[in-house]
């Protein structure tokens, strides 16, 4: 009986030692700690996925990886891109040989697994990009993880030069974070197109993905797009035209997952026109911005989709060099619910750089997604690229692969004047970073040629940070001339999500009350 009060006393002393006597003040009483706002802290882990660039003969692919210089979270960390390990018939045969004589099967399997796990790109310090190259026609998808101080703002890009064939061109894609829901307006199942959607699963467990296709008349009939299994740590490419019997010029693709996250991107190859990656549009919204139309664009094709139950009427504006204006005859676009709408804006820029802004007509704000197909040149000198609707730069955004020549940055301020800081990183093989500040006027697009790092050798990265004013949307155009063709690709720069809100914790012993 005497042990009971002693136990209670011991428990009270231990509790006080853990929480501190000040925490014994009840919430709401004088002297109680006040709740503090959430702190904005750097993330400590970032995941990126790069689809397979393979399937094209004579192509050369460059991977570029960078974490912007600055304070990161926690330990020094690592940032690596490793090959995905797709399940193939050969893998199954190797499994059957595991128990071979003298353990030879086990040794061969271990050697193969070690090769798969060897990083393709390894980043060891922030502020300086690293690169890797491959000409392997069967180059795999890459699964990447960055931790510690290399996690906040980690960016990677794969850039492929395909010099020959009917769909020759420059393919560029910022490797993306895994997600559960993707919208791709601007795809196609037409006979002149070879559009492959790449689904990459970064986790160990298999997952199931569903693909829905929507044309100008509504959903396209497909029994194949439901229940697609993507094995763990693997990538699955699917030709869109095999998912339906309908050959449609403009298609919106919707990808969702069941119980897991994936990376998704569409590789577009258009006969006699070119090739590039189509990245996902930003989440459905009533207003969208599609930045970075080159000044010498010869054709601009807008594709939009309203995923909800309501139709959408949007105002179409080009945010040009000096002021916004509406294209003649195409100042508005009606988008029927779950039907893909499109309009050919032709050479709407008139020799000046620009961006497209879509805003609701009237008081309604029906969420939509959108993308642009942009062409430069004509005839056998034509090349294409895609610009999806994108989020603002926000606090910071980075595009990893830039060259001494051929990189152009577009900055768009749709609502109010804005001031941004642009940092060109050190080069992958030498050079010092440079920093420059730009002011973007409301309703305009400012096109700048980045100041190349002093003593640049190799590739460099561009980091854009909003310093003041309204939101800014950005895109980088990379041009590589090959065989007399100005091959190009456009990557948008949405906020990198390098910081997150972390609630401040206060001690509250009231939770212990019975």
């Amino acid at each position: 009986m005497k042990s009971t009060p002693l136990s209670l006393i011991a428990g009270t002393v231990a509790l006080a030692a853990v929480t501190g006597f000040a925490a014994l003040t009840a919430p709401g009483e004088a002297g109680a700690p006040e709740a503090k706002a959430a702190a904005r802290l750097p993330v400590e882990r970032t995941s990126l996925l790069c689809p397979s660039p393979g399937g094209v003969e004579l192509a050369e692919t460059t991977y570029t990886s960078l974490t912007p210089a600055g304070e990161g979270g926690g330990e020094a960390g690592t940032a690596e891109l490793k090959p995905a390990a797709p399940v193939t018939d050969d893998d199954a045969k190797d499994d059957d040989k595991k128990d071979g004589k003298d353990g030879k099967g086990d040794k061969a399997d271990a050697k193969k697994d070690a090769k798969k796990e060897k990083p393709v790109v390894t980043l060891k310090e922030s502020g300086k990009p690293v690169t890797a190259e491959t000409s392997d026609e069967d180059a795999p998808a890459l699964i990447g993880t960055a931790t510690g101080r290399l996690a906040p703002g980690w960016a990677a890009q794969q850039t492929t030069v395909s010099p020959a064939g009917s769909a020759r061109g420059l393919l560029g894609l910022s490797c993306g974070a895994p997600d559960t829901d993707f919208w791709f307006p601007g795809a196609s199942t037409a006979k002149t197109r070879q559009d492959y959607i790449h689904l990459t699963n970064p986790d160990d467990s298999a997952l199931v993905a569903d693909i829905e296709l929507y044309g100008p008349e509504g959903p396209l009939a497909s029994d194949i797009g439901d229940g697609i299994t993507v094995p763990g740590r693997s990538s699955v490419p699917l030709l869109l035209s095999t998912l339906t019997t309908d050959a449609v010029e403009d298609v919106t693709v919707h990808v969702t997952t069941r119980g897991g996250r994936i990376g998704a991107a569409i590789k577009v190859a258009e006969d006699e026109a070119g090739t590039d990656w189509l990245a996902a549009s930003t989440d459905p919204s009533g207003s969208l911005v599609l930045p970075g139309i080159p000044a010498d664009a010869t054709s601009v094709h807008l594709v939009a989709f309203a995923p909800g139950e309501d139709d959408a009427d949007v105002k179409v504006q080009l945010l040009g060099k000096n002021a916004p204006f509406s294209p003649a005859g195409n100042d508005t676009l009606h988008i029927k619910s779950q039907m893909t709408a499109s309009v050919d804006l032709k050479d709407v820029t008139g020799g000046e750089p620009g961006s497209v802004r879509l805003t609701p007509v009237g008081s309604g704000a029906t969420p939509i997604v959108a993308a642009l197909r942009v062409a430069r040149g004509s005839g056998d000198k034509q090349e294409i690229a895609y610009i999806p609707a994108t989020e603002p730069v926000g606090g910071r955004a980075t595009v990893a692969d830039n060259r001494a020549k051929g990189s152009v940055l577009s900055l768009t301020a749709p609502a109010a004047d804005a001031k941004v800081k642009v940092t060109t990183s050190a080069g992958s093989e030498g050079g010092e970073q440079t920093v420059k500040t730009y002011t973007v006027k409301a309703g305009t697009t400012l096109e700048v040629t980045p100041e190349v790092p002093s003593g640049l050798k190799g590739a460099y990265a561009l980091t854009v940070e909003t310093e003041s004013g309204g939101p800014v949307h950005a895109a980088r155009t990379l041009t590589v001339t090959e065989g007399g063709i100005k091959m190009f690709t456009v990557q948008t720069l949405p906020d990198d999500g390098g910081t997150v809100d972390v609630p401040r914790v206060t001690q509250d012993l009231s939770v212990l009350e019975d």
Side-chain angles (χ1 to χ4, degrees):
M1 294 295 292
K2 292 182 181 180
S3 63
T4 301
L6 291 175
S7 299
L8 289 174
I9 292 171
T12 302
V13 172
L15 183 61
V18 173
T19 63
F21 283 105
L24 294 176
T25 307
E29 292 183 2
E34 295 182 2
K36 296 181 179 180
R40 194 77 181 168
L41 299 177
V43 299
E44 295 185 0
R45 185 180 179 87
T46 299
S47 297
L48 293 177
L49 304 174
C50 311
S52 168
V56 182
E57 294 182 0
L58 305 178
E60 297 281 346
T61 296
T62 300
Y63 300 100
T64 308
S65 171
L66 171 122
T67 295
E71 294 184 2
E75 303 175 354
T78 61
E80 297 179 334
L81 289 166
K82 295 182 177 181
V87 177
T88 65
D89 291 340
D90 289 339
D91 291 330
K93 293 176 182 178
D94 288 341
D95 288 339
D96 292 338
K97 296 177 181 179
K98 274 188 175 182
D99 297 324
K101 294 181 180 180
D102 300 323
K104 292 181 179 179
D106 290 335
K107 292 180 180 179
D109 191 68
K111 185 176 180 180
K112 186 174 182 180
D113 288 342
K115 184 178 180 181
K116 289 178 180 178
E117 286 299 313
K118 184 179 180 180
V120 174
V121 183
T122 300
L123 184 68
K124 296 182 179 179
E125 61 178 312
S126 61
K128 180 182 178 180
V130 294
T131 63
E133 297 181 350
T134 181
S135 56
D136 185 358
E137 186 179 348
D138 298 319
L142 301 182
I143 298 173
T145 303
T147 59
R149 289 194 293 274
L150 293 179
W154 182 43
Q157 180 174 319
Q158 64 178 47
T159 307
T160 302
V161 178
S162 177
S166 60
R168 78 289 175 274
L170 182 67
L171 302 93
L173 182 70
S174 294
C175 302
D179 206 341
T180 60
D181 198 329
F182 302 86
W183 290 98
F184 297 94
S188 179
T189 59
K191 294 181 179 179
T192 57
R193 291 271 289 266
Q194 296 285 308
D195 288 14
Y196 280 87
I197 186 162
H198 290 245
L199 307 177
T200 305
N201 179 3
D203 299 319
D204 293 332
S205 301
L207 60 77
V208 174
D210 296 316
I211 300 177
E212 299 170 313
L213 307 178
Y214 298 87
E217 303 299 323
L220 302 182
S222 175
D223 295 327
I224 304 174
D226 289 335
I228 297 170
T229 298
V230 186
R233 299 191 66 80
S234 71
S235 187
V236 175
L238 297 165
L239 181 61
L240 291 182
S241 60
T242 64
L243 303 182
T244 179
T245 57
D246 297 323
V248 180
E249 190 68 33
D250 292 312
V251 172
T252 298
V253 180
H254 185 208
V255 180
T256 55
T257 65
R258 308 180 199 173
R261 301 183 305 159
I262 59 172
I266 296 177
K267 182 190 285 187
V268 174
E270 185 173 344
D271 291 349
E272 310 302 330
T275 182
D276 205 354
W277 287 99
L278 170 60
S281 169
T282 188
D283 292 340
S285 176
S287 298
L288 298 174
V289 176
L290 301 88
I293 304 172
D296 60 350
T298 53
S299 174
V300 177
H301 188 71
L302 170 64
V303 182
F305 181 79
E309 297 181 356
D310 299 324
D311 293 357
D313 287 288
V314 296
K315 183 178 182 180
V316 181
Q317 287 183 303
L318 187 86
L319 307 183
K321 182 178 179 180
N322 300 307
F325 65 90
S326 296
N330 293 308
D331 55 336
T332 62
L333 177 64
H334 180 68
I335 310 167
K336 293 183 179 180
S337 170
Q338 300 192 17
M339 297 184 184
T340 299
S342 63
V343 59
D344 190 356
L345 302 178
K346 301 180 181 179
D347 54 348
V348 66
T349 61
E352 293 185 356
S355 303
V356 169
R357 176 174 63 184
L358 304 177
T359 54
V361 174
S363 58
T366 302
I368 61 171
V369 292
L372 299 173
R373 174 194 176 276
V374 179
R376 296 168 78 185
S378 60
D380 59 1
K381 301 295 184 181
Q382 185 179 189
E383 162 70 325
I384 59 171
Y386 286 85
I387 304 175
T390 187
E391 299 175 16
V393 167
R396 183 181 62 188
T398 296
V399 61
D401 186 6
N402 296 278
R403 318 289 173 86
K405 295 182 179 179
S407 292
V408 174
L409 178 65
S410 292
L411 303 168
T412 301
D417 291 359
K419 186 178 180 181
V420 298
K421 180 174 74 173
V422 177
T423 301
T424 56
S425 76
S428 58
E429 299 174 18
E432 300 294 331
Q433 77 167 32
T434 61
V435 179
K436 196 165 184 179
T437 300
Y438 299 93
T439 298
V440 189
K441 295 182 178 180
T444 69
T445 295
L446 175 65
E447 184 178 87
V448 298
T449 299
E451 187 171 330
V452 175
S454 174
L456 172 67
K457 291 183 180 179
Y460 69 92
L462 277 173
T463 298
V464 181
E465 299 172 79
T466 306
E467 292 200 321
S468 62
V472 174
H473 298 254
R476 188 287 323 271
T477 299
L478 177 64
T479 302
V480 174
T481 302
E482 189 82 23
I485 301 173
K486 292 174 65 175
M487 299 179 177
F488 76 112
T489 182
V490 181
Q491 277 69 59
T492 58
L493 282 81
D495 189 295
D496 62 23
T499 58
V500 292
D501 287 326
V502 179
R504 296 184 185 273
V505 179
T506 58
Q507 295 158 347
D508 182 2
L509 298 186
S510 65
V511 298
L512 300 179
E513 295 178 1
D514 189 358

